[in-house]
Amino acid sequence: MMSLAAMMAMPAVRMSAEPAAKEARQKIEKPSNIKFYGFIRNYFAYDTRESSAGTGDLFYYAPKDNNFNAAGEDLNAISSFRFLSLTSRFGLDVTGYQFGRTKFGAKIETDFYSGLTAASSTKINGTAQLRLRQAYVTLGWDDMRMKNGTPIAVAMKIGQAWHPMAADQPHVFSLETGAPFNAFSRTPQVLADASFGKNVMLSAAALWQMQYQSQGPDKATSDYIKYSCVPEFYLGLTLKSNNGFLARIGTNLLSIKPRRYGTIQYEGEDMQIKVSDRITTMSPYVYLQYKSKMFEVKAKTIFSHGGEHMNLMSGYGISEKCDDGHYEYTPFKTSSTWASMSYGKKWQATLMGGYIKNLGTVDELANPSDFYFSANAPKYMNQMWRVIPAVCYNAGKFTLGLEYNYTAAQYGDGKTYTAHGLSTEGLHTVENHRIQMLVKFTF
């Protein structure tokens, strides 16, 4: 039988255990921190030539081709000026929340690009409205280890964020941040990063299309990936050194269906049928970076097959029209490269250079002049280059910047094309000089 002393001690044991259990439950969940951030940003931009540009003409792509009248006057050789604050930004970060071993975070970010419509090539209508830039949640586990003891940190990002191929950007303060020499896209995604120690990271992602879309017979639309039923995939490897070097290699794979229906002859009449059209492309890239105190240099090269959904100057076309109503497709090959450097903190000097070369399609086109190309430049573009020196003065949260953008594009005559979709006759170069000033206050 249990002794009287033991029986009297039992309640004391339960009472002492209750605070310990309560403390253990409290350790399971840690509260989150919320931080608001943003900036007021004004751009002032002057161009010497009509150009392809978006977001109130602040997001710069390429100078427009010559447009001669009967007297030989180039109607596109005309200057313009604008200043706008619609890229001012507001965001919210959630950090520090933890439940058990899992750390959570979140971001939502917006600016005022939406609502503007181009009524013509020279007139912008509408009032700027809020639009979604980024909205995602993060999950992280940083207390994992391999069998050999190497620490592993795993992080996931779910929602709309920068495309992994667009996240590394050159030293420029212009709105396009290096596009179209650099990929530019924020898109819905599920991204996983696995860090093996401090020097190696493996990344994989499944992505969708929203604002930035593939081209096709119905122009730019996300229907091509929607009916493909296959997301875009990304795989990347990052290597870091302990003395400021970073290297990243990666590739994306995109498989879309440009058409869902085709037409065949049936009993002497046209009949619409379902087709299994599909084009699958892969675009590898390499990114390098070095940083030492106030000096930093970056470089990236992308060898894209297609890639117009990432604002690259590329596309695809029809290589064969088959008797059963479906089409075969072939992508354009495009080499896009940029390099940039930055020095200073209070006074910061930057320099960026970029080069794009259109290499034509992989296979011959069924109709050399009929293909789907980026809407941000003429489809008869052969190559383009850009140089941007800039200087910024940073006084705490206030920034004042001055930038010069020289962009030159080589176009063909747009009348004759090779079997691989290149216009090589009548090659000529057009140039634009953009002078841009930035006034920005960060909060």
Side-chain angles (χ1 to χ4, degrees), residues 125-160:
N125 283 344
T127 300
Q129 303 170 2
L130 286 175
R131 61 116 182 213
L132 182 69
R133 278 178 55 88
Q134 299 190 83
Y136 60 80
V137 297
T138 61
L139 297 84
W141 302 268
D142 55 8
D143 55 354
M144 305 171 67
R145 289 186 177 275
M146 299 178 66
K147 290 184 178 180
N148 62 3
T150 302
I152 304 175
V154 177
M156 291 190 66
K157 182 184 294 182
I158 305 171
Q160 172 150 317

PDB file of all heavy atoms in Angstrom, residues 125-160:
ATOM      1  N   ASN A 125      -3.602  58.468 -70.134  1.00  0.00           N
ATOM      2  CA  ASN A 125      -4.849  58.780 -69.441  1.00  0.00           C
ATOM      3  C   ASN A 125      -4.932  58.009 -68.138  1.00  0.00           C
ATOM      4  O   ASN A 125      -4.321  56.966 -67.971  1.00  0.00           O
ATOM      5  CB  ASN A 125      -6.057  58.399 -70.309  1.00  0.00           C
ATOM      6  CG  ASN A 125      -6.301  59.423 -71.414  1.00  0.00           C
ATOM      7  OD1 ASN A 125      -5.785  60.530 -71.363  1.00  0.00           O
ATOM      8  ND2 ASN A 125      -7.079  59.031 -72.404  1.00  0.00           N
ATOM      9  N   GLY A 126      -5.765  58.499 -67.226  1.00  0.00           N
ATOM     10  CA  GLY A 126      -6.054  57.757 -66.009  1.00  0.00           C
ATOM     11  C   GLY A 126      -5.338  58.302 -64.798  1.00  0.00           C
ATOM     12  O   GLY A 126      -4.484  59.184 -64.886  1.00  0.00           O
ATOM     13  N   THR A 127      -5.713  57.786 -63.633  1.00  0.00           N
ATOM     14  CA  THR A 127      -5.102  58.155 -62.369  1.00  0.00           C
ATOM     15  C   THR A 127      -4.409  56.940 -61.785  1.00  0.00           C
ATOM     16  O   THR A 127      -4.967  55.850 -61.775  1.00  0.00           O
ATOM     17  CB  THR A 127      -6.172  58.658 -61.387  1.00  0.00           C
ATOM     18  OG1 THR A 127      -6.822  59.797 -61.951  1.00  0.00           O
ATOM     19  CG2 THR A 127      -5.550  59.037 -60.049  1.00  0.00           C
ATOM     20  N   ALA A 128      -3.199  57.128 -61.320  1.00  0.00           N
ATOM     21  CA  ALA A 128      -2.439  56.006 -60.783  1.00  0.00           C
ATOM     22  C   ALA A 128      -3.164  55.386 -59.596  1.00  0.00           C
ATOM     23  O   ALA A 128      -3.672  56.079 -58.723  1.00  0.00           O
ATOM     24  CB  ALA A 128      -1.046  56.476 -60.365  1.00  0.00           C
ATOM     25  N   GLN A 129      -3.199  54.053 -59.570  1.00  0.00           N
ATOM     26  CA  GLN A 129      -3.868  53.302 -58.514  1.00  0.00           C
ATOM     27  C   GLN A 129      -2.917  52.263 -57.958  1.00  0.00           C
ATOM     28  O   GLN A 129      -1.922  51.904 -58.572  1.00  0.00           O
ATOM     29  CB  GLN A 129      -5.121  52.600 -59.077  1.00  0.00           C
ATOM     30  CG  GLN A 129      -6.123  53.549 -59.717  1.00  0.00           C
ATOM     31  CD  GLN A 129      -7.212  52.799 -60.471  1.00  0.00           C
ATOM     32  OE1 GLN A 129      -7.233  51.567 -60.476  1.00  0.00           O
ATOM     33  NE2 GLN A 129      -8.102  53.520 -61.106  1.00  0.00           N
ATOM     34  N   LEU A 130      -3.254  51.769 -56.764  1.00  0.00           N
ATOM     35  CA  LEU A 130      -2.421  50.732 -56.152  1.00  0.00           C
ATOM     36  C   LEU A 130      -2.442  49.464 -56.988  1.00  0.00           C
ATOM     37  O   LEU A 130      -3.468  49.073 -57.519  1.00  0.00           O
ATOM     38  CB  LEU A 130      -2.924  50.416 -54.749  1.00  0.00           C
ATOM     39  CG  LEU A 130      -2.642  51.457 -53.663  1.00  0.00           C
ATOM     40  CD1 LEU A 130      -3.325  51.043 -52.380  1.00  0.00           C
ATOM     41  CD2 LEU A 130      -1.145  51.622 -53.439  1.00  0.00           C
ATOM     42  N   ARG A 131      -1.282  48.816 -57.087  1.00  0.00           N
ATOM     43  CA  ARG A 131      -1.203  47.509 -57.735  1.00  0.00           C
ATOM     44  C   ARG A 131      -0.285  46.617 -56.898  1.00  0.00           C
ATOM     45  O   ARG A 131       0.586  47.083 -56.161  1.00  0.00           O
ATOM     46  CB  ARG A 131      -0.680  47.615 -59.159  1.00  0.00           C
ATOM     47  CG  ARG A 131       0.729  48.204 -59.260  1.00  0.00           C
ATOM     48  CD  ARG A 131       1.727  47.240 -59.813  1.00  0.00           C
ATOM     49  NE  ARG A 131       3.060  47.826 -59.859  1.00  0.00           N
ATOM     50  CZ  ARG A 131       3.957  47.555 -60.786  1.00  0.00           C
ATOM     51  NH1 ARG A 131       3.674  46.722 -61.740  1.00  0.00           N
ATOM     52  NH2 ARG A 131       5.156  48.111 -60.744  1.00  0.00           N
ATOM     53  N   LEU A 132      -0.478  45.320 -57.017  1.00  0.00           N
ATOM     54  CA  LEU A 132       0.294  44.354 -56.252  1.00  0.00           C
ATOM     55  C   LEU A 132       1.671  44.153 -56.875  1.00  0.00           C
ATOM     56  O   LEU A 132       1.777  43.836 -58.053  1.00  0.00           O
ATOM     57  CB  LEU A 132      -0.448  43.011 -56.199  1.00  0.00           C
ATOM     58  CG  LEU A 132       0.215  41.908 -55.393  1.00  0.00           C
ATOM     59  CD1 LEU A 132       0.182  42.239 -53.907  1.00  0.00           C
ATOM     60  CD2 LEU A 132      -0.486  40.571 -55.655  1.00  0.00           C
ATOM     61  N   ARG A 133       2.719  44.354 -56.083  1.00  0.00           N
ATOM     62  CA  ARG A 133       4.079  44.033 -56.513  1.00  0.00           C
ATOM     63  C   ARG A 133       4.493  42.671 -55.972  1.00  0.00           C
ATOM     64  O   ARG A 133       4.812  41.762 -56.721  1.00  0.00           O
ATOM     65  CB  ARG A 133       5.068  45.102 -56.011  1.00  0.00           C
ATOM     66  CG  ARG A 133       5.129  46.344 -56.867  1.00  0.00           C
ATOM     67  CD  ARG A 133       6.081  47.350 -56.258  1.00  0.00           C
ATOM     68  NE  ARG A 133       7.403  46.805 -56.038  1.00  0.00           N
ATOM     69  CZ  ARG A 133       8.395  46.795 -56.926  1.00  0.00           C
ATOM     70  NH1 ARG A 133       8.188  47.288 -58.129  1.00  0.00           N
ATOM     71  NH2 ARG A 133       9.581  46.297 -56.627  1.00  0.00           N
ATOM     72  N   GLN A 134       4.494  42.556 -54.652  1.00  0.00           N
ATOM     73  CA  GLN A 134       4.879  41.294 -54.027  1.00  0.00           C
ATOM     74  C   GLN A 134       3.897  40.953 -52.895  1.00  0.00           C
ATOM     75  O   GLN A 134       3.382  41.853 -52.227  1.00  0.00           O
ATOM     76  CB  GLN A 134       6.297  41.377 -53.453  1.00  0.00           C
ATOM     77  CG  GLN A 134       7.374  41.664 -54.489  1.00  0.00           C
ATOM     78  CD  GLN A 134       8.758  41.484 -53.914  1.00  0.00           C
ATOM     79  OE1 GLN A 134       9.291  40.383 -53.837  1.00  0.00           O
ATOM     80  NE2 GLN A 134       9.365  42.595 -53.517  1.00  0.00           N
ATOM     81  N   ALA A 135       3.658  39.677 -52.703  1.00  0.00           N
ATOM     82  CA  ALA A 135       2.815  39.205 -51.604  1.00  0.00           C
ATOM     83  C   ALA A 135       3.150  37.730 -51.388  1.00  0.00           C
ATOM     84  O   ALA A 135       2.742  36.882 -52.171  1.00  0.00           O
ATOM     85  CB  ALA A 135       1.338  39.386 -51.922  1.00  0.00           C
ATOM     86  N   TYR A 136       3.906  37.447 -50.335  1.00  0.00           N
ATOM     87  CA  TYR A 136       4.312  36.058 -50.116  1.00  0.00           C
ATOM     88  C   TYR A 136       4.504  35.775 -48.629  1.00  0.00           C
ATOM     89  O   TYR A 136       4.641  36.703 -47.807  1.00  0.00           O
ATOM     90  CB  TYR A 136       5.585  35.722 -50.888  1.00  0.00           C
ATOM     91  CG  TYR A 136       6.801  36.550 -50.544  1.00  0.00           C
ATOM     92  CD1 TYR A 136       7.572  36.276 -49.412  1.00  0.00           C
ATOM     93  CD2 TYR A 136       7.208  37.601 -51.369  1.00  0.00           C
ATOM     94  CE1 TYR A 136       8.684  37.020 -49.104  1.00  0.00           C
ATOM     95  CE2 TYR A 136       8.325  38.355 -51.065  1.00  0.00           C
ATOM     96  CZ  TYR A 136       9.058  38.053 -49.942  1.00  0.00           C
ATOM     97  OH  TYR A 136      10.171  38.803 -49.633  1.00  0.00           O
ATOM     98  N   VAL A 137       4.508  34.489 -48.301  1.00  0.00           N
ATOM     99  CA  VAL A 137       4.840  34.022 -46.957  1.00  0.00           C
ATOM    100  C   VAL A 137       6.112  33.194 -47.046  1.00  0.00           C
ATOM    101  O   VAL A 137       6.422  32.609 -48.095  1.00  0.00           O
ATOM    102  CB  VAL A 137       3.697  33.177 -46.340  1.00  0.00           C
ATOM    103  CG1 VAL A 137       2.447  34.018 -46.167  1.00  0.00           C
ATOM    104  CG2 VAL A 137       3.402  31.953 -47.195  1.00  0.00           C
ATOM    105  N   THR A 138       6.858  33.164 -45.954  1.00  0.00           N
ATOM    106  CA  THR A 138       8.082  32.373 -45.901  1.00  0.00           C
ATOM    107  C   THR A 138       8.018  31.406 -44.726  1.00  0.00           C
ATOM    108  O   THR A 138       7.416  31.696 -43.687  1.00  0.00           O
ATOM    109  CB  THR A 138       9.322  33.274 -45.741  1.00  0.00           C
ATOM    110  OG1 THR A 138       9.223  34.021 -44.516  1.00  0.00           O
ATOM    111  CG2 THR A 138       9.454  34.225 -46.917  1.00  0.00           C
ATOM    112  N   LEU A 139       8.644  30.258 -44.906  1.00  0.00           N
ATOM    113  CA  LEU A 139       8.797  29.250 -43.861  1.00  0.00           C
ATOM    114  C   LEU A 139      10.271  28.862 -43.821  1.00  0.00           C
ATOM    115  O   LEU A 139      10.903  28.708 -44.881  1.00  0.00           O
ATOM    116  CB  LEU A 139       7.950  28.009 -44.135  1.00  0.00           C
ATOM    117  CG  LEU A 139       6.428  28.142 -44.189  1.00  0.00           C
ATOM    118  CD1 LEU A 139       5.974  28.595 -45.574  1.00  0.00           C
ATOM    119  CD2 LEU A 139       5.770  26.800 -43.853  1.00  0.00           C
ATOM    120  N   GLY A 140      10.814  28.696 -42.623  1.00  0.00           N
ATOM    121  CA  GLY A 140      12.234  28.384 -42.520  1.00  0.00           C
ATOM    122  C   GLY A 140      12.553  27.420 -41.396  1.00  0.00           C
ATOM    123  O   GLY A 140      11.901  27.437 -40.339  1.00  0.00           O
ATOM    124  N   TRP A 141      13.551  26.584 -41.638  1.00  0.00           N
ATOM    125  CA  TRP A 141      14.074  25.660 -40.638  1.00  0.00           C
ATOM    126  C   TRP A 141      15.596  25.756 -40.712  1.00  0.00           C
ATOM    127  O   TRP A 141      16.203  25.405 -41.723  1.00  0.00           O
ATOM    128  CB  TRP A 141      13.632  24.228 -40.937  1.00  0.00           C
ATOM    129  CG  TRP A 141      12.144  24.063 -41.002  1.00  0.00           C
ATOM    130  CD1 TRP A 141      11.308  23.717 -39.987  1.00  0.00           C
ATOM    131  CD2 TRP A 141      11.318  24.228 -42.161  1.00  0.00           C
ATOM    132  NE1 TRP A 141      10.009  23.658 -40.432  1.00  0.00           N
ATOM    133  CE2 TRP A 141       9.976  23.967 -41.770  1.00  0.00           C
ATOM    134  CE3 TRP A 141      11.564  24.573 -43.494  1.00  0.00           C
ATOM    135  CZ2 TRP A 141       8.917  24.041 -42.644  1.00  0.00           C
ATOM    136  CZ3 TRP A 141      10.512  24.665 -44.381  1.00  0.00           C
ATOM    137  CH2 TRP A 141       9.193  24.392 -43.947  1.00  0.00           C
ATOM    138  N   ASP A 142      16.228  26.231 -39.629  1.00  0.00           N
ATOM    139  CA  ASP A 142      17.677  26.442 -39.667  1.00  0.00           C
ATOM    140  C   ASP A 142      18.435  25.573 -38.669  1.00  0.00           C
ATOM    141  O   ASP A 142      19.610  25.827 -38.382  1.00  0.00           O
ATOM    142  CB  ASP A 142      18.012  27.913 -39.415  1.00  0.00           C
ATOM    143  CG  ASP A 142      17.421  28.434 -38.109  1.00  0.00           C
ATOM    144  OD1 ASP A 142      16.890  27.610 -37.323  1.00  0.00           O
ATOM    145  OD2 ASP A 142      17.503  29.654 -37.867  1.00  0.00           O
ATOM    146  N   ASP A 143      17.783  24.548 -38.114  1.00  0.00           N
ATOM    147  CA  ASP A 143      18.447  23.703 -37.121  1.00  0.00           C
ATOM    148  C   ASP A 143      18.576  22.256 -37.593  1.00  0.00           C
ATOM    149  O   ASP A 143      18.543  21.313 -36.813  1.00  0.00           O
ATOM    150  CB  ASP A 143      17.683  23.738 -35.794  1.00  0.00           C
ATOM    151  CG  ASP A 143      16.214  23.355 -35.959  1.00  0.00           C
ATOM    152  OD1 ASP A 143      15.770  23.173 -37.105  1.00  0.00           O
ATOM    153  OD2 ASP A 143      15.509  23.243 -34.933  1.00  0.00           O
ATOM    154  N   MET A 144      18.718  22.076 -38.931  1.00  0.00           N
ATOM    155  CA  MET A 144      18.846  20.739 -39.486  1.00  0.00           C
ATOM    156  C   MET A 144      20.318  20.442 -39.787  1.00  0.00           C
ATOM    157  O   MET A 144      21.116  21.352 -39.994  1.00  0.00           O
ATOM    158  CB  MET A 144      18.002  20.622 -40.763  1.00  0.00           C
ATOM    159  CG  MET A 144      16.544  21.003 -40.562  1.00  0.00           C
ATOM    160  SD  MET A 144      15.628  21.124 -42.115  1.00  0.00           S
ATOM    161  CE  MET A 144      15.628  19.408 -42.625  1.00  0.00           C
ATOM    162  N   ARG A 145      20.656  19.138 -39.823  1.00  0.00           N
ATOM    163  CA  ARG A 145      22.035  18.743 -40.094  1.00  0.00           C
ATOM    164  C   ARG A 145      22.072  17.490 -40.959  1.00  0.00           C
ATOM    165  O   ARG A 145      21.174  16.651 -40.885  1.00  0.00           O
ATOM    166  CB  ARG A 145      22.807  18.496 -38.804  1.00  0.00           C
ATOM    167  CG  ARG A 145      23.122  19.753 -38.027  1.00  0.00           C
ATOM    168  CD  ARG A 145      24.015  19.494 -36.843  1.00  0.00           C
ATOM    169  NE  ARG A 145      24.345  20.731 -36.156  1.00  0.00           N
ATOM    170  CZ  ARG A 145      25.349  21.540 -36.497  1.00  0.00           C
ATOM    171  NH1 ARG A 145      26.137  21.200 -37.514  1.00  0.00           N
ATOM    172  NH2 ARG A 145      25.582  22.649 -35.841  1.00  0.00           N
ATOM    173  N   MET A 146      23.130  17.392 -41.780  1.00  0.00           N
ATOM    174  CA  MET A 146      23.373  16.184 -42.540  1.00  0.00           C
ATOM    175  C   MET A 146      24.032  15.139 -41.637  1.00  0.00           C
ATOM    176  O   MET A 146      24.415  15.429 -40.500  1.00  0.00           O
ATOM    177  CB  MET A 146      24.278  16.502 -43.747  1.00  0.00           C
ATOM    178  CG  MET A 146      23.685  17.502 -44.721  1.00  0.00           C
ATOM    179  SD  MET A 146      24.810  17.891 -46.086  1.00  0.00           S
ATOM    180  CE  MET A 146      24.878  16.304 -46.930  1.00  0.00           C
ATOM    181  N   LYS A 147      24.163  13.924 -42.148  1.00  0.00           N
ATOM    182  CA  LYS A 147      24.753  12.845 -41.354  1.00  0.00           C
ATOM    183  C   LYS A 147      26.187  13.141 -40.954  1.00  0.00           C
ATOM    184  O   LYS A 147      26.656  12.703 -39.907  1.00  0.00           O
ATOM    185  CB  LYS A 147      24.683  11.535 -42.141  1.00  0.00           C
ATOM    186  CG  LYS A 147      23.269  10.982 -42.286  1.00  0.00           C
ATOM    187  CD  LYS A 147      23.286   9.632 -42.997  1.00  0.00           C
ATOM    188  CE  LYS A 147      21.877   9.061 -43.098  1.00  0.00           C
ATOM    189  NZ  LYS A 147      21.866   7.734 -43.781  1.00  0.00           N
ATOM    190  N   ASN A 148      26.908  13.889 -41.796  1.00  0.00           N
ATOM    191  CA  ASN A 148      28.292  14.222 -41.474  1.00  0.00           C
ATOM    192  C   ASN A 148      28.404  15.449 -40.568  1.00  0.00           C
ATOM    193  O   ASN A 148      29.506  15.943 -40.308  1.00  0.00           O
ATOM    194  CB  ASN A 148      29.103  14.447 -42.744  1.00  0.00           C
ATOM    195  CG  ASN A 148      28.573  15.611 -43.575  1.00  0.00           C
ATOM    196  OD1 ASN A 148      27.621  16.291 -43.182  1.00  0.00           O
ATOM    197  ND2 ASN A 148      29.188  15.841 -44.722  1.00  0.00           N
ATOM    198  N   GLY A 149      27.261  15.993 -40.131  1.00  0.00           N
ATOM    199  CA  GLY A 149      27.267  17.129 -39.221  1.00  0.00           C
ATOM    200  C   GLY A 149      27.156  18.483 -39.873  1.00  0.00           C
ATOM    201  O   GLY A 149      27.058  19.511 -39.197  1.00  0.00           O
ATOM    202  N   THR A 150      27.165  18.556 -41.215  1.00  0.00           N
ATOM    203  CA  THR A 150      27.044  19.829 -41.925  1.00  0.00           C
ATOM    204  C   THR A 150      25.671  20.443 -41.670  1.00  0.00           C
ATOM    205  O   THR A 150      24.643  19.791 -41.885  1.00  0.00           O
ATOM    206  CB  THR A 150      27.232  19.639 -43.437  1.00  0.00           C
ATOM    207  OG1 THR A 150      28.506  19.053 -43.682  1.00  0.00           O
ATOM    208  CG2 THR A 150      27.139  20.973 -44.164  1.00  0.00           C
ATOM    209  N   PRO A 151      25.616  21.696 -41.203  1.00  0.00           N
ATOM    210  CA  PRO A 151      24.310  22.319 -40.945  1.00  0.00           C
ATOM    211  C   PRO A 151      23.560  22.610 -42.243  1.00  0.00           C
ATOM    212  O   PRO A 151      24.161  22.972 -43.260  1.00  0.00           O
ATOM    213  CB  PRO A 151      24.676  23.610 -40.213  1.00  0.00           C
ATOM    214  CG  PRO A 151      26.080  23.917 -40.642  1.00  0.00           C
ATOM    215  CD  PRO A 151      26.737  22.585 -40.847  1.00  0.00           C
ATOM    216  N   ILE A 152      22.251  22.451 -42.212  1.00  0.00           N
ATOM    217  CA  ILE A 152      21.394  22.731 -43.357  1.00  0.00           C
ATOM    218  C   ILE A 152      20.305  23.701 -42.919  1.00  0.00           C
ATOM    219  O   ILE A 152      19.670  23.498 -41.883  1.00  0.00           O
ATOM    220  CB  ILE A 152      20.733  21.454 -43.911  1.00  0.00           C
ATOM    221  CG1 ILE A 152      21.767  20.408 -44.282  1.00  0.00           C
ATOM    222  CG2 ILE A 152      19.873  21.787 -45.125  1.00  0.00           C
ATOM    223  CD1 ILE A 152      21.153  19.098 -44.725  1.00  0.00           C
ATOM    224  N   ALA A 153      20.113  24.743 -43.700  1.00  0.00           N
ATOM    225  CA  ALA A 153      19.007  25.679 -43.483  1.00  0.00           C
ATOM    226  C   ALA A 153      18.095  25.616 -44.696  1.00  0.00           C
ATOM    227  O   ALA A 153      18.556  25.769 -45.835  1.00  0.00           O
ATOM    228  CB  ALA A 153      19.531  27.090 -43.268  1.00  0.00           C
ATOM    229  N   VAL A 154      16.835  25.373 -44.463  1.00  0.00           N
ATOM    230  CA  VAL A 154      15.857  25.273 -45.544  1.00  0.00           C
ATOM    231  C   VAL A 154      14.853  26.406 -45.409  1.00  0.00           C
ATOM    232  O   VAL A 154      14.329  26.656 -44.315  1.00  0.00           O
ATOM    233  CB  VAL A 154      15.124  23.913 -45.515  1.00  0.00           C
ATOM    234  CG1 VAL A 154      14.065  23.850 -46.606  1.00  0.00           C
ATOM    235  CG2 VAL A 154      16.121  22.772 -45.689  1.00  0.00           C
ATOM    236  N   ALA A 155      14.596  27.100 -46.517  1.00  0.00           N
ATOM    237  CA  ALA A 155      13.633  28.202 -46.529  1.00  0.00           C
ATOM    238  C   ALA A 155      12.703  28.040 -47.720  1.00  0.00           C
ATOM    239  O   ALA A 155      13.139  27.646 -48.805  1.00  0.00           O
ATOM    240  CB  ALA A 155      14.351  29.549 -46.591  1.00  0.00           C
ATOM    241  N   MET A 156      11.438  28.359 -47.521  1.00  0.00           N
ATOM    242  CA  MET A 156      10.446  28.313 -48.590  1.00  0.00           C
ATOM    243  C   MET A 156       9.769  29.671 -48.721  1.00  0.00           C
ATOM    244  O   MET A 156       9.562  30.367 -47.728  1.00  0.00           O
ATOM    245  CB  MET A 156       9.402  27.225 -48.322  1.00  0.00           C
ATOM    246  CG  MET A 156       9.902  25.811 -48.416  1.00  0.00           C
ATOM    247  SD  MET A 156       8.552  24.612 -48.384  1.00  0.00           S
ATOM    248  CE  MET A 156       7.727  24.995 -49.957  1.00  0.00           C
ATOM    249  N   LYS A 157       9.440  30.020 -49.947  1.00  0.00           N
ATOM    250  CA  LYS A 157       8.718  31.252 -50.247  1.00  0.00           C
ATOM    251  C   LYS A 157       7.515  30.881 -51.105  1.00  0.00           C
ATOM    252  O   LYS A 157       7.671  30.241 -52.144  1.00  0.00           O
ATOM    253  CB  LYS A 157       9.622  32.239 -50.973  1.00  0.00           C
ATOM    254  CG  LYS A 157       8.985  33.574 -51.290  1.00  0.00           C
ATOM    255  CD  LYS A 157       9.942  34.456 -52.095  1.00  0.00           C
ATOM    256  CE  LYS A 157      11.153  34.857 -51.276  1.00  0.00           C
ATOM    257  NZ  LYS A 157      12.048  35.746 -52.043  1.00  0.00           N
ATOM    258  N   ILE A 158       6.320  31.297 -50.686  1.00  0.00           N
ATOM    259  CA  ILE A 158       5.099  30.955 -51.396  1.00  0.00           C
ATOM    260  C   ILE A 158       4.302  32.238 -51.636  1.00  0.00           C
ATOM    261  O   ILE A 158       3.887  32.908 -50.688  1.00  0.00           O
ATOM    262  CB  ILE A 158       4.237  29.950 -50.593  1.00  0.00           C
ATOM    263  CG1 ILE A 158       5.056  28.704 -50.248  1.00  0.00           C
ATOM    264  CG2 ILE A 158       2.995  29.560 -51.379  1.00  0.00           C
ATOM    265  CD1 ILE A 158       4.360  27.765 -49.293  1.00  0.00           C
ATOM    266  N   GLY A 159       4.090  32.576 -52.894  1.00  0.00           N
ATOM    267  CA  GLY A 159       3.345  33.786 -53.230  1.00  0.00           C
ATOM    268  C   GLY A 159       3.973  34.493 -54.411  1.00  0.00           C
ATOM    269  O   GLY A 159       4.729  33.899 -55.178  1.00  0.00           O
ATOM    270  N   GLN A 160       3.691  35.773 -54.558  1.00  0.00           N
ATOM    271  CA  GLN A 160       4.242  36.552 -55.673  1.00  0.00           C
ATOM    272  C   GLN A 160       5.511  37.255 -55.229  1.00  0.00           C
ATOM    273  O   GLN A 160       5.514  38.001 -54.248  1.00  0.00           O
ATOM    274  CB  GLN A 160       3.233  37.576 -56.188  1.00  0.00           C
ATOM    275  CG  GLN A 160       3.850  38.516 -57.219  1.00  0.00           C
ATOM    276  CD  GLN A 160       2.884  39.022 -58.244  1.00  0.00           C
ATOM    277  OE1 GLN A 160       2.065  38.292 -58.769  1.00  0.00           O
ATOM    278  NE2 GLN A 160       2.976  40.306 -58.545  1.00  0.00           N
TER     279      GLN A 160
END
